[in-house]
Amino acid sequence: MSHIATSLHIPNNNNRRHNFASPQSLSDWLKPRLPSNSFASWGVNPGTKNVHNLWLELSQGETSLDDSNPPVRTVQVVKVLITGKDGKFLLESHHELSNGKVSQRNRPLTEKMKPNEVPESTALREIREELGSMLVVGSNAVTIDRNSYEMRVEERDSETYPGLLGCYVFHTFYATVEGLPEGDFCSHEVDEYADSDDKKVAHKAVSVKKHYWKWVSADSIQP
């Protein structure tokens, strides 16, 4: 059985990281550091989220911001490659958001790690949250292949928060989930911010309501 990493050295530029008292203080800090047209698109353009989402990520310890130009958002992400009986993989084609917009995804199951989580527990949580409405109650249908674990770091512009540079630490597993439909299907998201202590901010954030899934061949999965 392979070792699952519980702590990692994440590359950063050693600049000071920030905490913000409110979404407004975060917005005030971001505006002079980002192109105005990029920041104005947050929560407006399809696939983007707003400053309330980023503030919640920061306050819940899911994300950190480095004081650089542009600021760097560092996040640890668990990716689960769910395999079907015919060797195909489950891909999220798109999802519906609380603001009525549709975000194109075309990627496997992914989720941000919470503080004090290890990658395997995040994998189990994201399967429960995003596919839970399709799972058989009381069954032990999820199997995580611990030996498949891989980690890699990628830096690129953020699609969710245009103008921010993203440092993504990806933790990848293969898994099987019994009882899923063999064709395309839709699942309902568990309340994304149910654990938030600030319900007023959570209400203003953009959340995912429905996920749309399809089975694809291995060559359709991006690394």
Side-chain angles (χ1 to χ4, degrees):
M1 182 176 294
S2 63
H3 174 68
I4 303 295
T6 57
S7 62
L8 296 166
H9 173 70
I10 301 174
N12 64 71
N13 56 12
N14 294 320
N15 287 333
R16 184 164 56 94
R17 297 187 176 190
H18 287 267
N19 294 315
F20 301 91
S22 67
Q24 185 60 54
S25 65
L26 173 59
S27 178
D28 293 341
W29 184 85
L30 285 169
K31 281 182 178 179
R33 292 169 169 82
L34 297 175
S36 59
N37 59 333
S38 295
F39 189 61
S41 71
W42 288 21
V44 177
N45 289 358
T48 65
K49 293 187 176 181
N50 61 33
V51 71
H52 296 86
N53 290 93
L54 184 57
W55 186 84
L56 288 168
E57 290 181 14
L58 291 163
S59 64
Q60 294 173 2
E62 296 178 340
T63 289
S64 64
L65 276 181
D66 287 355
D67 190 358
S68 55
N69 193 7
V72 178
R73 169 181 172 253
T74 299
V75 56
Q76 297 195 50
V77 178
V78 174
K79 178 189 295 185
V80 182
L81 297 168
I82 296 175
T83 58
K85 295 179 180 179
D86 56 0
K88 290 187 176 181
F89 291 89
L90 189 65
L91 200 73
E92 183 182 16
S93 60
H94 61 285
H95 56 215
E96 292 182 13
L97 302 173
S98 57
N99 60 6
K101 298 183 182 297
V102 173
S103 176
Q104 299 300 319
R105 299 283 287 172
N106 291 314
R107 65 188 67 175
L109 188 68
T110 58
E111 182 63 85
K112 297 184 295 295
M113 287 179 61
K114 293 182 178 294
N116 303 317
E117 274 190 336
V118 297
E120 187 177 8
S121 64
T122 304
L124 291 169
R125 174 173 61 82
E126 65 181 302
I127 290 172
R128 183 178 66 250
E129 290 178 353
E130 298 191 16
L131 295 174
S133 62
M134 308 303 297
L135 302 180
V136 178
V137 177
S139 70
N140 187 20
V142 179
T143 302
I144 304 290
D145 181 2
R146 294 171 60 91
N147 293 308
S148 68
Y149 173 76
E150 293 182 354
M151 188 273 286
R152 66 182 175 87
V153 179
E154 180 180 328
E155 289 190 356
R156 53 182 165 82
D157 292 334
S158 173
E159 297 177 1
T160 307
Y161 303 108
L164 281 184
L165 181 64
C167 177
Y168 302 91
V169 183
F170 285 103
H171 308 265
T172 302
F173 293 97
Y174 286 78
T176 56
V177 179
E178 296 180 10
L180 294 179
E182 295 181 1
D184 296 354
F185 65 95
C186 168
S187 63
H188 295 266
E189 170 81 28
V190 174
D191 187 356
E192 195 172 352
Y193 299 111
D195 298 331
S196 174
D197 294 329
D198 197 322
K199 299 300 182 184
K200 290 183 179 180
V201 176
H203 181 69
K204 295 179 180 179
V206 178
S207 59
V208 179
K209 293 302 182 183
K210 292 181 180 180
H211 301 269
Y212 291 83
W213 306 94
K214 61 182 179 181
W215 295 99
V216 300
S217 59
D219 56 12
S220 300
I221 302 292
Q222 297 181 353

